[in-house]
Amino acid sequence: MRALRILLIIVVVLGGLFVLVDRLAVHFAEGEVADKLRTTEGLATTPDVSIKGFPFLTQMAGGSLDDVEVGIADYQADTGVNGQTLRIDDLRADMKGVAFSGDYSSATATTASGTATVAYGELLKTAKFEETRVAPGVTAEVVGLSDGGNGKIKVMVEATVLGVKLKEPVSVLSSVSVEGDTVRVHADSLPDFRGVTAAEKQVRTVTDFQQKIEGLPGGISLDKVQAGKNGVEITVKGSNVRLAG
């Protein structure tokens, strides 16, 4: 019995040491991957990297990680216009089947899925709305974007009719969709400019707009989009996504 107790104590101690070594190893690997990702993508800050699954050491020995979560704050995405960028407040991606080299100089995920948010203020700024003539004596310009509820964007339009600016902007609810690397906003109905008749095509040059979002990390791409409380909420996806190298 004494020998059995000693054996059990040894097993518990060794098990504890294994867990400690495993956690130290995963912490080191997370730091290495985060540093490589920051360098590869030219990020201003080091991203959050979390390697899931236990034990880590057996995954490392096999050269592939089951699940890696990556979080990047304030990611600057390309808009495709003269080097202009668009800030994504919180880009998070869940990488599956991440194969990596021994020195972590390269890491590629079989698949990836995640979310990103673009604040309404950022979208308003990058879309660069301008005052447009929509009918004789009537000009209009988008001056605000916000959550309209039920996945819609509320588009606020400021108008001047016969030289007199309306006291308050008029609003329209708009649907948002993704086409390739572009987010498109389309008004469900047209605003009323004090009963002045304006051609739909002209009005939509103001209310309807699009915004490209290119150069997401690792080659992930836009999948779906909807309006949220704080901004446009985007679902992203990808395959053979490069984390480093």
Side-chain angles (χ1 to χ4, degrees):
M1 291 295 293
R2 185 171 181 272
L4 179 59
R5 285 197 299 271
I6 293 174
L7 179 60
L8 289 174
I9 292 172
I10 292 174
V11 169
V12 171
V13 171
L14 290 178
L17 289 174
F18 175 78
V19 171
L20 177 61
V21 171
D22 190 82
R23 294 302 90 190
L24 289 173
V26 76
H27 181 71
F28 173 78
E30 287 170 345
E32 289 294 304
V33 173
D35 288 341
K36 295 293 184 182
L37 182 57
R38 178 177 180 176
T39 301
T40 300
E41 298 295 336
L43 303 177
T45 59
T46 302
D48 294 327
V49 174
S50 179
I51 299 175
K52 304 298 182 180
F54 179 83
F56 164 72
L57 292 174
T58 57
Q59 297 182 65
M60 185 174 67
S64 178
L65 304 176
D66 297 335
D67 189 354
V68 178
E69 292 182 0
V70 176
I72 304 175
D74 298 332
Y75 182 80
Q76 298 295 323
D78 297 330
T79 63
V81 180
N82 300 324
Q84 183 187 28
T85 60
L86 176 145
R87 188 185 75 250
I88 296 177
D89 290 333
D90 189 18
L91 174 61
R92 310 200 70 83
D94 187 10
M95 313 288 187
K96 302 292 187 182
V98 181
F100 60 92
S101 60
D103 60 355
Y104 306 106
S105 61
S106 65
T108 304
T110 302
T111 61
S113 61
T115 58
T117 301
V118 178
Y120 289 117
E122 183 70 9
L123 188 59
L124 182 67
K125 181 182 71 175
T126 55
K128 290 186 176 179
F129 298 101
E130 297 180 353
E131 189 174 55
T132 302
R133 181 176 180 272
V134 297
V138 180
T139 59
E141 179 183 6
V142 172
V143 294
L145 302 172
S146 62
D147 178 22
N150 297 319
K152 302 287 186 177
I153 293 180
K154 180 186 288 186
V155 179
M156 305 299 294
V157 181
E158 189 175 77
T160 299
V161 180
L162 301 177
V164 179
K165 182 179 291 186
L166 300 186
K167 291 183 178 180
E168 295 182 357
V170 294
S171 66
V172 292
L173 290 180
S174 300
S175 299
V176 58
S177 61
V178 163
E179 184 177 322
D181 59 4
T182 302
V183 174
R184 299 186 183 278
V185 177
H186 181 84
D188 295 349
S189 60
L190 300 182
D192 179 18
F193 301 120
R194 283 188 178 175
V196 175
T197 301
E200 178 174 347
K201 183 178 180 180
Q202 287 299 107
V203 176
R204 289 197 177 278
T205 61
V206 176
T207 60
D208 295 8
F209 62 95
Q210 61 185 40
Q211 177 63 65
K212 274 194 172 186
I213 302 178
E214 301 178 325
L216 295 179
I220 58 177
S221 58
L222 308 183
D223 183 25
K224 299 176 182 178
V225 64
Q226 69 173 11
K229 181 179 180 181
N230 299 314
V232 176
E233 298 173 351
I234 301 169
T235 302
V236 297
K237 66 177 182 179
S239 56
N240 296 321
V241 175
R242 175 174 50 85
L243 277 77

